Amino acid sequence: MSKQEANIYEIAKEAGVSIATVSRVMNHSTSVSEKSRKRVMDAVKLLNYVPNSTARSLSTSQSMSIGVVVPDIDNPFFSKILQGVTLLAEEHGYQVLLYNTDESVEKEQKVLRSMREHRLRGIVITPVSEHSKETLVQLRSFAERSIPVVLLDRELDDPCFDRVVTEDEDGVYRAVRSLIQGGHRRIAVITGPQQSRTGKERFRGYERAMEEFRVPMPREYIRYGDYRMQCAYEEAKALCQLPQPPTAIFSSNNMTTYGCLKAISELGLRLGEDISLIGFDDIDALNWLNYNVSVVCRDVKEMGRRAMGLLLDCFDRETPAEEGHREVLPAELILRGSERYGHDL
């Protein structure tokens, strides 16, 4: 008999047990004798039976799908996040469904409304804005229906959700401090969106270092970005063409770093000679090409794995916690040479 033909009825007949017994074995119930379990599993092997996860979730009233919502599917950072979530999810028999919000609050709300139609066991989300009341209301409604939510990298103004974040402010502080200690005094920043936790904290790290060492922060050196390459390219080009351009730029995420590098290359500037650069988040493609960019980095796959781990913990709780658990992962500064400057400072 082929995989397509085999079903739970044939398994029961071959094993000489009831359909209910086959169902309990497939759902890993402990209320089945070892003898019956062995007969069922022998029949499964003989008939090449492949369990239908959708049918199983319907029979147990429990979905085996995890929804992962990210703001930029093109960003390699979120690809690594997805890898971390998926690895642990698959170990526990869950499948992952990916949703993209394109850094749009409106699209985020549309995605969350559409997710109500899907059978989900839990949700991992990187919200676009920490101040979106509509997003908060929708996520609370999932939690009220016993579909736990874990926030990843960015946060919301509600302590009830579990979350996984990193030391964004301290990581940036150390990066900008290293530029100052290297002699830089004209240091610009291209920020992330200021409605997000990451955008605000990374800018605070820049401000804290500059203020602590009493380094001026001219208005024209502070450029507000959107974590997208095109915006960063335009802002970096404008910075480098100022009458008194900065000697160093801090880039607030990997896509912003790409935009900076494009502008620097087009203007014929040499990285680590004519202009210095430190970015937030490592870029594997540049490392493969031996393009040595200094970065503040974190273990992105581990962030995804931790977020999925928190979801699994939520599944085991009989009642939701009144206040969510907050895991903070470290951010590491790696200096590879792009922080240098080849001229007198």
Side-chain angles (χ1 to χ4, degrees):
M1 183 173 290
S2 69
K3 290 181 183 178
Q4 287 75 20
E5 293 171 333
N7 58 44
I8 194 169
Y9 300 100
E10 278 88 13
I11 297 299
K13 183 177 179 180
E14 179 66 32
V17 298
S18 69
I19 293 170
T21 297
V22 175
S23 178
R24 285 195 291 269
V25 172
M26 292 296 99
N27 289 301
H28 309 290
S29 172
T30 58
S31 62
V32 182
S33 70
E34 281 305 312
K35 182 178 178 181
S36 294
R37 188 183 305 278
K38 184 178 186 306
R39 288 167 69 177
V40 170
M41 296 312 297
D42 286 345
V44 166
K45 185 176 180 180
L46 177 66
L47 299 177
N48 287 325
Y49 175 67
V50 178
N52 185 313
S53 61
T54 302
R56 184 172 65 190
S57 70
L58 289 171
S59 69
T60 61
S61 299
Q62 188 176 94
S63 171
M64 299 303 289
S65 297
I66 304 299
V68 177
V69 186
V70 302
D72 186 0
I73 200 171
D74 292 328
N75 189 332
F77 170 82
F78 292 109
S79 298
K80 284 190 175 183
I81 285 288
L82 188 63
Q83 289 176 31
V85 172
T86 302
L87 284 171
L88 189 56
E90 290 180 345
E91 284 180 17
H92 288 80
Y94 293 96
Q95 62 179 344
V96 174
L97 304 178
L98 180 63
Y99 304 85
N100 180 43
T101 61
D102 203 31
E103 291 285 7
S104 164
V105 172
E106 291 74 20
K107 189 170 181 180
E108 179 177 73
Q109 292 164 11
K110 184 178 179 181
V111 163
L112 290 173
R113 285 193 293 271
S114 73
M115 289 170 68
R116 289 175 174 274
E117 302 172 7
H118 303 158
R119 290 179 55 81
L120 297 174
R121 184 70 179 94
I123 296 171
V124 174
I125 181 172
T126 301
V128 174
S129 169
E130 66 178 331
H131 303 300
S132 174
K133 293 182 179 178
E134 177 63 24
T135 296
L136 184 56
V137 167
Q138 292 202 53
L139 292 178
R140 281 174 176 167
S141 73
F142 280 107
E144 288 166 1
R145 290 186 291 127
S146 299
I147 301 172
V149 174
V150 173
L151 307 179
L152 181 54
D153 193 40
R154 306 183 195 175
E155 302 190 65
L156 289 169
D157 289 332
D158 191 321
C160 73
F161 298 113
D162 288 351
R163 61 202 69 203
V164 177
V165 297
T166 49
E167 296 174 334
D168 294 77
E169 181 179 337
D170 285 345
V172 176
Y173 167 81
R174 292 195 298 271
V176 176
R177 181 182 64 184
S178 74
L179 290 171
I180 296 169
Q181 291 172 338
H184 289 279
R185 289 299 180 272
R186 302 202 307 271
I187 304 171
V189 62
I190 302 178
T191 77
Q194 294 302 288
Q195 74 268 26
S196 70
R197 182 200 70 87
T198 57
K200 290 193 299 186
E201 287 204 1
R202 291 171 198 176
F203 182 59
R204 279 203 296 265
Y206 166 83
E207 277 188 315
R208 180 154 66 94
M210 298 289 276
E211 289 172 353
E212 182 176 313
F213 290 89
R214 299 182 180 179
V215 178
M217 289 181 284
R219 184 177 300 175
E220 62 268 27
Y221 282 6
I222 299 173
R223 302 287 171 142
Y224 294 95
D226 59 3
Y227 284 157
R228 299 297 185 94
M229 188 161 34
Q230 182 62 33
C231 176
Y233 161 74
E234 293 168 0
E235 296 295 352
K237 201 167 186 179
L239 282 168
C240 292
Q241 292 177 324
L242 287 171
Q244 189 174 44
T247 60
I249 299 174
F250 181 81
S251 159
S252 292
N253 86 327
N254 54 354
M255 302 306 281
T256 303
T257 299
Y258 273 127
C260 290
L261 292 173
K262 178 177 170 61
I264 289 168
S265 175
E266 278 192 10
L267 293 171
L269 300 174
R270 296 165 299 172
L271 191 65
E273 291 285 338
D274 304 312
I275 185 78
S276 302
L277 176 70
I278 299 181
F280 199 102
D281 278 333
D282 216 350
I283 301 175
D284 289 341
L286 297 181
N287 295 332
W288 276 101
L289 296 170
N290 292 320
Y291 206 103
N292 297 318
V293 177
S294 299
V295 292
V296 177
C297 74
R298 58 252 178 97
D299 190 336
V300 182
K301 283 185 184 178
E302 179 64 10
M303 291 176 67
R305 196 192 71 80
R306 293 281 187 97
M308 186 63 214
L310 288 178
L311 264 189
L312 293 172
D313 290 343
C314 290
F315 299 160
D316 292 337
R317 294 176 192 159
E318 292 185 4
T319 56
E322 292 185 5
E323 186 169 336
H325 178 69
R326 190 173 191 265
E327 290 198 15
V328 183
L329 275 65
E332 179 186 3
L333 175 62
I334 300 178
L335 299 178
R336 299 189 176 114
S338 68
E339 78 284 356
R340 298 173 190 151
Y341 188 67
H343 304 275
D344 293 334
L345 291 166

